[in-house]
Amino acid sequence: MKLPIQQVGVGMIEILVTLFILSIGLLGVASLQFIGSFSNADALNRSQAVIITQQLAERLRASAKMSNTANSMVVDNSYFTNNLYNFDNLGACASGNTYNCYCLAMPAAIPDCSSGQCTPGQFAEFDAYEVSCSMAATNPAANINLTCSDNDLLDADACSAGSRHRIMISWPAQNWQNIDRQLNALCNPANSNDPRDCVVLDVTL
């Protein structure tokens, strides 16, 4: 009498099931790595933007002078000239890399105030150039601007004593897997079709 043959080892079905489960797990790990790299890039943009807004705030405080109309400090009106920031006063960049275009060597149009021999207006131009280079080195897609909520429109100061100076750095918002994000209204004017993230710092001298 012959004994029945017994199957030994792992069958094809078991192997296929194991490979399927393993592939699902690997896809999950890859997805987590992608989300992690996306989050890290966003966190890096924010941390660098915070550092640069603080840098500009310190430059404003260093350049501040006593107001002629109030017992408080003000900065030169040139700081609020919009085209001083983001290299808007230096023309087009042929290569598209603004840091390489403008920051590897100081353009002749920018006054070199590193020695301290500059007028208040020249210091404003120098400071705007320096913070724009800092921003271009870390996030070339970002823009920096300085505005003021002026509390006295009748005096000669663009940002009167005691007024709020607002420093904003913004950059294009990135969505993952077409998931809509709740955008900050400060970064996105009502008439803008370009979703952006930003860091905002309000300063009173």
Side-chain angles (χ1 to χ4, degrees), residues 55-89:
Q55 176 186 343
L56 180 53
E58 291 304 317
R59 288 175 180 270
L60 291 176
R61 292 190 176 99
S63 299
K65 60 180 181 180
M66 187 63 65
S67 170
N68 294 326
T69 58
N71 188 23
S72 187
M73 307 295 285
V74 295
V75 294
D76 190 82
N77 291 347
S78 298
Y79 277 96
F80 303 97
T81 304
N82 290 330
N83 71 348
L84 293 185
Y85 301 91
N86 310 304
F87 314 110
D88 289 345
N89 59 331

Side-chain angles (χ1 to χ4, degrees), residues 87-127:
F87 314 110
D88 289 345
N89 59 331
L90 296 178
C93 174
S95 68
N97 187 322
T98 53
Y99 184 83
N100 289 344
C101 279
Y102 306 120
C103 301
L104 296 181
M106 181 177 290
I110 302 297
D112 186 359
C113 300
S114 54
S115 63
Q117 303 299 316
C118 281
T119 66
Q122 288 174 327
F123 266 116
E125 191 172 358
F126 176 76
D127 287 344

Side-chain angles (χ1 to χ4, degrees), residues 66-192:
M66 187 63 65
S67 170
N68 294 326
T69 58
N71 188 23
S72 187
M73 307 295 285
V74 295
V75 294
D76 190 82
N77 291 347
S78 298
Y79 277 96
F80 303 97
T81 304
N82 290 330
N83 71 348
L84 293 185
Y85 301 91
N86 310 304
F87 314 110
D88 289 345
N89 59 331
L90 296 178
C93 174
S95 68
N97 187 322
T98 53
Y99 184 83
N100 289 344
C101 279
Y102 306 120
C103 301
L104 296 181
M106 181 177 290
I110 302 297
D112 186 359
C113 300
S114 54
S115 63
Q117 303 299 316
C118 281
T119 66
Q122 288 174 327
F123 266 116
E125 191 172 358
F126 176 76
D127 287 344
Y129 166 78
E130 289 279 288
V131 295
S132 296
C133 281
S134 296
M135 194 70 263
T138 58
N139 186 356
N143 289 324
I144 182 168
N145 63 75
L146 173 66
T147 57
C148 175
S149 298
D150 196 3
N151 59 18
D152 187 355
L153 299 177
L154 301 179
D155 64 9
D157 295 319
C159 197
S160 305
S163 298
R164 182 185 66 192
H165 304 66
R166 170 161 289 178
I167 304 168
M168 178 186 293
I169 294 177
S170 65
W171 59 93
Q174 296 181 356
N175 292 330
W176 181 69
Q177 291 186 342
N178 296 321
I179 298 175
D180 290 334
R181 299 172 58 188
Q182 186 67 37
L183 298 174
N184 188 337
L186 290 175
C187 317
N188 298 274
N191 58 350
S192 174

